[in-house]
Amino acid sequence: MQYKKLGDSELQVSEICLGTMTYGQQNTIEEAHQQLDYAISCGINFIDTAEMYPVPPRAETQGKTESYIGEWLVKQQRDQIIIATKVAGGSTRLKWLRSGNLRIDRTNVQQAIDDSLKRLKTDYIDLYQIHWPDRYVPLFGSPDYDVTQERETTPILEQLKIFADLIQAGKIRYLGLSNETPLGVCEFCHIAEKMNLPKVVSIQNAFSLVNRTFHLNLAETCRFHNISLLAYSPLGFGTLTGKYLENNANGRINLFKGFGQRYDKLNLPEAVQAYVNVAQKYNLSPAQMALAYVRSRWFVTSTIIGATTLEQLQENINSIEIELSREILQDIDAVHFRYPNPTP
């Protein structure tokens, strides 16, 4: 396991980060703790969660993921583990979370951080991330910016002041973004520098063989602002394993109807089959090839993996042993040129 510096922070994070959004829905607390123990034994020191997890989000399960992690975390050496969680941004769908009045404002953020700390049974969060922007942006596969959807938003200056106070209070160490745009990254960085406020150190956005839009839209921005990418959905919601080429696959897309709309896109099955063919040509598992590709990109600091079984987790972590040759990368690029970004 290799470790990389997270942006401008003092954190050295493992190149693989354990994602946990199935804990409390598809995974029991015993299974969650088994996964956490195994991940740590493999050298992973970086755990990612969110206040709204598990997914799909429901009032009955909200917060269970953090609670499951908290029951495990109190038995660990806290300063050896980097915990990242997220505060939900503006939404009209999560009506059960903080009475549905979700904003990145002082009242909401203070309640969110205190609730997360209580569930996680810890005094501080190493990386606190804005799950999605407070302002309107197209999210989770929405195709275009729609000016009619713009809404009132908490100014970024005010948001940064809130997080500065949380850092001063010792509740969080560093601030990160998620599902952000180049405009958002630049605004957060410029305002922080101008007003001597905390600079964001990371961004958690989707990146995979079937969604390389980060390379087009954000890689340059993050390079020159020294913002680390934490790549989520590196397996394209599990599609890049090839399992959904069979309609009866046991996975989230089939278990929770409507939850995987981002991946119900033209050319995705054809693209996945082509990537599977490349993996088979070189005697690789499709999942491991997809993960090795993400890990190999210069702008990826840590790749967030998740699994519902220990066997899946083992396969995913073992992808760190794979280095893709020039020939494999050329074949991967040939597929990309045929089917560019079917799930942006």
Side-chain angles (χ1 to χ4, degrees), residues 53-321:
Y53 288 171
V55 296
R58 297 187 299 132
E60 296 81 3
T61 57
Q62 184 266 319
K64 273 192 174 184
T65 303
E66 288 185 328
S67 294
Y68 284 12
I69 295 170
E71 293 294 332
W72 172 85
L73 188 60
V74 292
K75 303 172 186 176
Q76 312 304 313
Q77 191 172 342
R78 177 66 183 90
D79 63 357
Q80 299 300 304
I81 298 171
I82 297 169
I83 297 292
T85 193
K86 311 179 197 77
V87 55
S91 173
T92 58
R93 296 182 180 182
L94 306 179
K95 298 185 183 301
W96 58 87
L97 189 56
R98 295 193 296 284
S99 302
N101 183 28
L102 299 184
R103 295 284 300 276
I104 305 299
D105 59 20
R106 190 166 295 275
T107 300
N108 270 285
V109 172
Q110 286 180 338
Q111 181 181 344
I113 187 64
D114 288 342
D115 289 347
S116 286
L117 290 171
K118 183 177 180 180
R119 287 189 292 263
L120 288 164
K121 297 184 182 296
T122 185
D123 295 329
Y124 65 95
I125 304 297
D126 297 282
L127 178 66
Y128 199 48
Q129 304 157 103
I130 302 172
H131 206 153
W132 55 85
D134 189 70
R135 68 191 190 284
Y136 160 74
V137 297
L139 288 172
F140 310 122
S142 298
D144 300 305
Y145 189 91
D146 182 355
V147 296
T148 68
Q149 298 299 310
E150 292 174 351
R151 59 176 180 252
E152 182 183 358
T153 183
T154 305
I156 289 175
L157 174 60
E158 183 177 335
Q159 294 180 50
L160 284 170
K161 288 179 178 178
I162 296 166
F163 294 112
D165 290 345
L166 292 180
I167 291 172
Q168 182 66 31
K171 293 185 177 183
I172 66 174
R173 296 179 66 191
Y174 298 101
L175 175 65
L177 304 173
S178 184
N179 298 297
E180 249 307 352
T181 68
L183 173 66
V185 172
C186 289
E187 285 292 290
F188 270 94
C189 290
H190 291 156
I191 292 171
E193 181 178 17
K194 181 179 179 181
M195 304 303 294
N196 194 29
L197 290 166
K199 177 179 176 289
V200 296
V201 300
S202 64
I203 181 171
Q204 185 177 148
N205 276 35
F207 183 77
S208 71
L209 288 173
V210 291
N211 179 5
R212 300 198 203 179
T213 55
F214 186 95
H215 210 165
L216 286 171
N217 300 329
L218 271 159
E220 178 189 27
T221 300
C222 291
R223 170 173 165 75
F224 289 101
H225 286 292
N226 195 26
I227 305 293
S228 290
L229 173 62
L230 310 177
Y232 81 76
S233 287
L235 293 178
F237 228 55
T239 61
L240 284 163
T241 65
K243 66 183 179 182
Y244 291 111
L245 296 174
E246 301 290 333
N247 290 329
N248 60 349
N250 182 27
R252 278 170 291 170
I253 289 177
N254 289 336
L255 290 174
F256 309 114
K257 295 300 181 182
F259 185 49
Q261 291 179 347
R262 184 174 191 165
Y263 299 92
D264 184 17
K265 297 290 179 65
L266 187 68
N267 290 332
L268 178 62
E270 293 82 359
V272 169
Q273 184 63 68
Y275 286 122
V276 169
N277 292 344
V278 173
Q280 292 173 341
K281 176 181 176 181
Y282 294 99
N283 296 313
L284 298 172
S285 85
Q288 289 186 328
M289 185 185 80
L291 291 171
Y293 175 80
V294 172
R295 184 174 53 84
S296 72
R297 300 301 88 188
W298 60 264
F299 47 81
V300 174
T301 297
S302 190
T303 303
I304 302 174
I305 63 169
T308 53
T309 69
L310 192 59
E311 292 72 25
Q312 289 174 336
L313 183 61
Q314 291 168 339
E315 179 183 10
N316 291 348
I317 293 175
N318 288 341
S319 68
I320 65 173
E321 304 297 333

